Amino acid sequence: MGVHETIDHENRERAKFREMKQGTAEDWAIIGGEYRAFAKGLPDRVLDHLKLLDGDFGGFPVDRLEHSLQTATRAHRDGRDEQYVLMALLHDIGDTLGSYNHPEVAASIIKPFVSEQVHWICQNHGAFQGYYYFHFLGMDQNARDKFMGHPHYEACREFCEKYDQSAFDPDYDSEPLEFFEPMVRRVMEKPLASMYAKAIAEE
Ligand SMILES: [Fe+2]
Ligand SMILES: [Fe+2]
């Protein structure tokens, strides 16, 4: 069960200010405490949101959840580390709210928890994935070429070639979402970097 489901919001203590500039140390002790609990629920919220892709085919041979599980399963079975597999699992999670820029949504969600390279792959996979279909839609198949010479070009090309463009097989035995849950919780347990790092530090 998600942390957000266990919090009794009605009866929790609340800050007293009407405008932030009236805020006091007591107010912010309350909010800081709530934030720490809320932040811990992030893996649950992400997993819940990923489930929105269930049954969403968009004309593809598999739905977006199966595509996500298959991308992650292929990366995992190929020996990728947990940060990478998390990225593979979540790379299309932005489809629902970022229908015109989905790679950036996923990249923002994983950014505090992964290496710069894994973040870059996620953020730019759209252009690299386009190599396999942009020309069918009147777009430039080689849109990825604008990144030529970038230190992460090859890693992103490889992600799309090995795990993303290949993850539309209805007959592939993908692991279920439950298989990845402990991994999601481990990788998202603590940010490697965040502008709010001090606020979530345990006293
Ligand atoms: Fe994508
Ligand atoms: Fe994808």
Side-chain angles (χ1 to χ4, degrees), residues 67-68 71 88 91-92 95 102 125 129 159 164-165 167-168:
H67 169 67
S68 303
T71 304
H91 77 283
D92 283 338
D95 273 335
H102 78 272
H125 82 266
Q129 189 77 341
F159 167 74
D164 196 359
Q165 68 82 29
F168 295 95

Side-chain angles (χ1 to χ4, degrees), residues 75-76 79-86 118 183 187:
H76 173 69
R80 297 293 176 170
D81 67 20
E82 294 200 331
Q83 287 185 11
Y84 194 103
V85 175
L86 176 91
V118 168
M183 196 184 296
V187 180

Side-chain angles (χ1 to χ4, degrees), residues 130-166:
Y131 179 74
Y132 305 96
Y133 73 93
F134 278 177
H135 47 300
F136 295 119
L137 300 176
M139 296 156 70
D140 178 12
Q141 177 181 21
N142 297 307
R144 66 184 188 180
D145 285 0
K146 71 175 176 212
F147 297 112
M148 202 86 89
H150 190 281
H152 302 319
Y153 179 97
E154 178 50 28
C156 195
R157 188 205 62 75
E158 187 184 31
F159 167 74
C160 288
E161 171 66 26
K162 286 189 174 171
Y163 314 123
D164 196 359
Q165 68 82 29
S166 59

